[in-house]
Amino acid sequence: MFRIAGAGSVTAARLSAACCRAVTSKQFQVHGASLHVLSSETSRKTRNGPAHRTPPSWQSVRAMASAGESQSKINYLFYGLAVLFGGGGIVYWWSRKYMRETSKDGSTSKKAAAPAAAASKEATEPVAETPVTATTKSEAPPAQPAAAEAPAEAAPDAESKKLLDATPQSYPDYEVMPEIPGHAKYLLIGGGTASFAAFRAIRASDAKAQVLVVTEEEELPYMRPPLSKELWYSDEPKLVEKMKFKQWNGKERSVYYNPPSFYVEPKELAYQENGGVAVVKGRKVMKLDPQKQVAVLDNGWEIFYDKVLIATGGRPRNIPVFERASQEVKDRVTLFRGIKDFKRLDEVSKNASSIVVVGGGFLGSELTCALGKRSRDSSLKVIQMFPEAGNMGKVLPEYLSQWTTAKVRGEGATVKPETFVKRARYSDGKVILKLNTGEEISTDHVVVAVGLEPNTELAKESGLEVDDTYGGFRVNAELEARSDIWVAGDASSFYDIKLGRRRVEHHDHAVVSGRLAGENMTGAKKPYWHQSMFWSDLGPDVGYEAIGIVDSSLPTVAVFAKATEKDTPRAVVEETGESLRSVTETEAEGVVAESGETTATPEVEGVRETKVFDLANYPFALFPHPESATDEAPAPDVEAAAKLVAEVEAENRVAPTPKEDYGKGVIFYLRDDVIVGVVLWNLFNRMPIARKIIKEGKQHQDLAEVAKLFDLHADED
């Protein structure tokens, strides 16, 4: 154990800082100018207080008492009694009190009558030098009595001088503290939405919780949805440069969840009596040791934890043709995911003559619409291609996927369904794409948006299980992978008590799972049952929300109605003032619950029973997925059809034909005749109803009756 004596010496403080910076394999604890180098096991034993601050040494207290300062004598006596009776908590409290009474120049409280740094003759540690008074460059402290017969400081060698010169001559209690704490009660790995939701839940349950977030990104926690939505529709470039956007209702908002002032500096976290959240940016956790409860960073630093959350999210998938391409091609390919990718693509779109978007899912379609809008005011050409028959073909029924494709084309983009890239090469500043159709396309830039690969590198080194089917860390219904280790967000393969094992890659799931994990880290022990939703906007006029398992390979039944001016993403944001519709739906559900009703949604089991008939035979409004049709379709039930037509006409309901615009509606996804997924098309503030239907997990003979629960015609004249 190293100890550098001299509580008021600038040289001692600077040497302490130099040691901290020179050696990274140990945990350092600093008290004034005393530097304790502790082993990992010793650091773990200081759980009753901050790991990088143990109580001052017995000798340093005794030295202060010998100097004649009355408060030091009291502290000395109090310290001895606490140690004698094993009062670890008392020692910790006293050490905090002692450090608060230490002034910035390393001397004791202003009440002291004599310098408190006089070394005791009975001290067992060797004294390197007698404390002297020094003046920093930034602040000159009041004159202090000079210490008698102070020995001259030995001149440091060249290496030590280099380290000393690089160390600021200021408050040693702060400057020599390690940049990263050695211990965190709550350690969150990853700085995305799941971590944000988790530390909010932790702080709600434990008001004085000290939470440490470690993220690879150089950003504070931020929301991702605006990166492919609202940010592209802003007409104020300076606003976008600050990562601010205007919601569809025109209200200005930042992509960051909290301003920088909300967070605590990591080195100060352990000293926050009322707790706080600190973020270590640009660092990666390489390994967890579940038995020793320690996380190892990429710089070799170790952080001991009590509870840890893995919220590492995912990285954008690439496709083999670009992975094998030359470096010139790779330099012109963006795998879109975060703020850095948005900034890059935003700059490219202002100067490029053409951009190709590979991928027809949520992200690919949103980016294509956004870039297509930008192309209207420039010479930019936007091309989207994907192997499916239509946009979002893996999610939406075929007829709705085709309608969506037409919508994207209407935004100014060229859409090429059933198309994929076979080869990519670089020529004369362009990327040449050879397609499966035989066509060659020359473009300036390529955006790949084909899904995520969960970040599970921690699993192998940490002894955690990865799901072979769904990917991600395999966790139980409480989102726990092992004792005191939770996983939330995109990287979590969790057991849904209603729908079985799943892995979800959407914003609201990150919110819901992060919140649940945070609650469970504070002892809640709640299972995952709340069905998260997701949403997608094709601009401010068309949007949909979905919940559960929405897979176009499942049989589907849909009911549509005529849309009104209120049935758009812009209208719902104007009404609620919230662009994150996961928040809107949560608030809507809370309002229903507070109204005094016994359930958050109407009881599905209370619907009126009707005669069973095949919905596939209805010539309007109800469209089953083609795969659900049989070779021998039964004869139409004319009587039942006429009855339903009469009901529609009586209630002035207008149902579109397949050739008409799908204004608004609800699409049910079925598995074994049970509704397992719901898509609300241009239909908002109804998600609690869909959530209740899926939670019940019942078979329904008449889905037209179930559709009435969504009140499709509430806003019609």
Side-chain angles (χ1 to χ4, degrees):
M1 179 175 69
F2 299 96
R3 177 164 297 142
I4 302 170
S9 170
V10 172
T11 300
R14 299 174 72 192
L15 282 173
S16 299
C19 291
C20 281
R21 295 177 180 178
V23 186
T24 60
S25 62
K26 299 289 185 180
Q27 305 295 313
F28 296 94
Q29 283 72 39
V30 182
H31 309 286
S34 296
L35 176 66
H36 299 256
V37 183
L38 303 182
S39 67
S40 297
E41 185 62 28
T42 304
S43 181
R44 272 186 55 78
K45 293 179 179 179
T46 62
R47 291 284 180 87
N48 61 320
H52 62 275
R53 173 161 292 186
T54 55
S57 67
W58 176 274
Q59 289 77 16
S60 63
V61 178
R62 190 171 184 177
M64 293 180 64
S66 300
E69 205 259 285
S70 59
Q71 182 63 44
S72 295
K73 291 183 177 180
I74 296 174
N75 289 343
Y76 176 54
L77 176 62
F78 191 58
Y79 184 94
L81 292 175
V83 172
L84 181 62
F85 292 102
I90 299 176
V91 173
Y92 168 55
W93 173 88
W94 177 86
S95 67
R96 297 281 297 242
K97 173 179 174 60
Y98 165 78
M99 292 312 302
R100 286 197 298 270
E101 293 173 354
T102 303
S103 63
K104 289 188 176 182
D105 63 351
S107 64
T108 57
S109 174
K110 294 181 180 179
K111 297 180 181 180
S120 172
K121 294 182 180 179
E122 300 179 12
T124 56
E125 287 81 8
V127 177
E129 58 178 270
T130 302
V132 295
T133 304
T135 302
T136 65
K137 296 179 180 180
S138 59
E139 178 182 2
Q144 298 288 342
E149 300 180 1
E153 296 181 358
D157 56 28
E159 184 63 22
S160 299
K161 188 176 185 302
K162 183 178 179 181
L163 288 171
L164 291 173
D165 290 340
T167 307
Q169 299 183 34
S170 58
Y171 182 32
D173 187 42
Y174 181 85
E175 291 299 329
V176 300
M177 291 192 306
E179 293 294 332
I180 303 174
H183 171 260
K185 182 176 181 181
Y186 300 101
L187 175 63
L188 310 184
I189 304 174
T193 296
S195 279
F196 165 74
F199 71 63
R200 285 191 64 181
I202 291 171
R203 295 275 294 163
S205 300
D206 184 355
K208 294 189 177 183
Q210 296 174 348
V211 184
L212 181 65
V213 180
V214 179
T215 174
E216 293 184 58
E217 292 192 77
E218 295 291 346
E219 306 286 348
L220 293 172
Y222 64 91
M223 60 185 79
R224 298 187 190 276
L227 302 183
S228 60
K229 298 180 177 71
E230 293 94 338
L231 276 169
W232 292 97
Y233 293 84
S234 175
D235 54 359
E236 299 182 27
K238 292 184 178 180
L239 197 66
V240 176
E241 290 176 4
K242 299 177 182 178
M243 295 312 297
K244 293 184 177 181
F245 63 95
K246 286 187 176 181
Q247 299 182 145
W248 299 136
N249 64 349
K251 181 181 177 182
E252 185 178 311
R253 186 171 185 176
S254 172
V255 300
Y256 296 100
Y257 288 112
N258 299 109
S261 58
F262 169 83
Y263 300 97
V264 178
E265 285 294 327
K267 64 166 58 179
E268 298 177 0
L269 180 62
Y271 308 102
Q272 304 300 311
E273 293 184 359
N274 293 322
V277 180
V279 180
V280 175
K281 296 181 288 186
R283 287 297 175 194
K284 182 178 181 180
V285 176
M286 305 299 293
K287 177 184 178 180
L288 291 177
D289 188 328
Q291 294 181 327
K292 295 182 179 179
Q293 291 185 265
V294 61
V296 182
L297 305 189
D298 52 0
N299 64 346
W301 194 266
E302 294 182 346
I303 302 175
F304 291 94
Y305 63 83
D306 293 352
K307 312 285 184 181
V308 64
L309 171 68
I310 300 174
T312 49
R315 58 187 178 277
R317 284 197 182 100
N318 203 348
I319 54 180
V321 65
F322 294 119
E323 291 177 339
R324 297 191 302 262
S326 65
Q327 190 59 46
E328 291 87 354
V329 171
K330 293 179 180 178
D331 291 341
R332 290 161 177 80
V333 174
T334 294
L335 305 179
F336 196 91
R337 177 62 172 166
I339 286 180
K340 180 180 66 175
D341 306 316
F342 166 79
K343 290 181 176 179
R344 182 189 186 195
L345 186 58
D346 178 51
E347 187 63 28
V348 167
S349 66
K350 295 175 182 177
N351 304 300
S353 60
S354 68
I355 295 178
V356 170
V357 179
V358 178
F362 306 106
L363 180 60
S365 298
E366 289 176 358
L367 287 174
T368 302
C369 284
L371 292 169
K373 175 187 176 296
R374 181 166 291 189
S375 70
R376 296 177 184 176
D377 302 323
S378 66
S379 59
L380 176 65
K381 183 179 180 180
V382 181
I383 302 172
Q384 182 189 26
M385 60 182 66
F386 44 81
E388 296 81 25
N391 285 76
M392 292 179 280
K394 293 182 179 180
V395 174
L396 299 177
E398 183 179 356
Y399 60 90
L400 207 52
S401 174
Q402 295 295 331
W403 185 93
T404 304
T405 302
K407 168 66 178 176
V408 176
R409 285 174 175 151
E411 293 295 318
T414 300
V415 183
K416 295 180 176 293
E418 300 179 330
T419 302
F420 57 88
V421 181
K422 294 186 68 176
R423 286 190 299 275
R425 59 185 176 86
Y426 175 78
S427 176
D428 297 330
K430 299 282 187 178
V431 176
I432 311 300
L433 303 177
K434 178 75 172 180
L435 308 182
N436 63 310
T437 59
E439 180 184 3
E440 280 194 348
I441 294 179
S442 175
T443 186
D444 295 309
H445 202 78
V446 179
V447 181
V448 178
V450 292
L452 291 179
E453 190 72 29
N455 289 323
T456 58
E457 292 87 350
L458 271 174
K460 184 176 181 181
E461 295 294 330
S462 308
L464 303 177
E465 184 180 2
V466 174
D467 194 305
D468 294 334
T469 303
Y470 300 98
F473 297 90
R474 191 177 179 91
V475 298
N476 59 20
E478 288 76 30
L479 304 183
E480 197 169 17
R482 289 186 62 177
S483 179
D484 295 325
I485 301 177
W486 287 261
V487 187
D490 300 338
S492 172
S493 172
F494 62 98
Y495 180 75
D496 187 322
I497 60 177
K498 286 295 181 182
L499 301 177
R501 187 156 295 279
R502 304 172 63 200
R503 191 177 69 82
V504 181
E505 298 175 357
H506 296 293
H507 174 86
D508 188 55
H509 170 67
V511 174
V512 173
S513 62
R515 182 173 61 235
L516 177 64
E519 291 173 351
N520 287 343
M521 291 172 77
T522 58
K525 298 182 180 180
K526 296 180 180 178
Y528 189 106
W529 64 266
H530 180 89
Q531 292 299 322
S532 60
M533 54 86 70
F534 61 92
W535 80 98
S536 180
D537 292 340
L538 303 179
D541 299 321
V542 177
Y544 66 88
E545 301 173 355
I547 191 171
I549 300 175
V550 286
D551 185 342
S552 60
S553 65
L554 294 173
T556 61
V557 174
V559 179
F560 289 91
K562 184 178 180 180
T564 69
E565 295 180 354
K566 297 181 180 180
D567 301 315
T568 65
R570 187 197 307 273
V572 73
V573 176
E574 289 176 349
E575 180 182 354
T576 63
E578 175 60 60
S579 63
L580 296 177
R581 290 211 293 280
S582 57
V583 177
T584 303
E585 298 296 351
T586 300
E587 292 177 350
E589 189 170 17
V591 169
V592 174
E594 291 174 3
S595 66
E597 298 181 15
T598 56
T599 58
T601 62
E603 288 292 338
V604 177
E605 58 267 27
V607 300
R608 175 173 52 86
E609 292 294 333
T610 59
K611 183 178 180 179
V612 178
F613 48 86
D614 185 4
L615 297 175
N617 295 312
Y618 279 76
F620 58 88
L622 307 176
F623 306 103
H625 190 277
E627 294 183 12
S628 66
T630 58
D631 295 334
E632 298 181 0
D637 190 331
V638 180
E639 181 180 351
K643 181 178 180 181
L644 188 57
V645 169
E647 288 183 2
V648 171
E649 293 178 345
E651 299 179 14
N652 296 319
R653 297 183 177 181
V654 180
T657 66
K659 295 181 180 180
E660 292 179 350
D661 186 13
Y662 298 104
K664 62 180 179 181
V666 54
I667 302 100
F668 300 109
Y669 291 72
L670 308 175
R671 187 170 64 187
D672 299 328
D673 296 326
V674 174
I675 299 174
V676 294
V678 177
V679 167
L680 303 180
W681 184 263
N682 274 340
L683 192 64
F684 309 103
N685 297 325
R686 312 287 204 284
M687 192 53 65
I689 303 172
R691 184 171 287 115
K692 181 65 185 301
I693 291 172
I694 293 178
K695 184 179 179 181
E696 288 179 341
K698 296 173 58 178
Q699 292 185 352
H700 300 284
Q701 296 177 330
D702 189 347
L703 294 179
E705 288 295 323
V706 179
K708 292 180 180 179
L709 295 172
F710 293 89
D711 203 6
L712 292 174
H713 312 279
D715 298 325
E716 294 181 10
D717 295 331

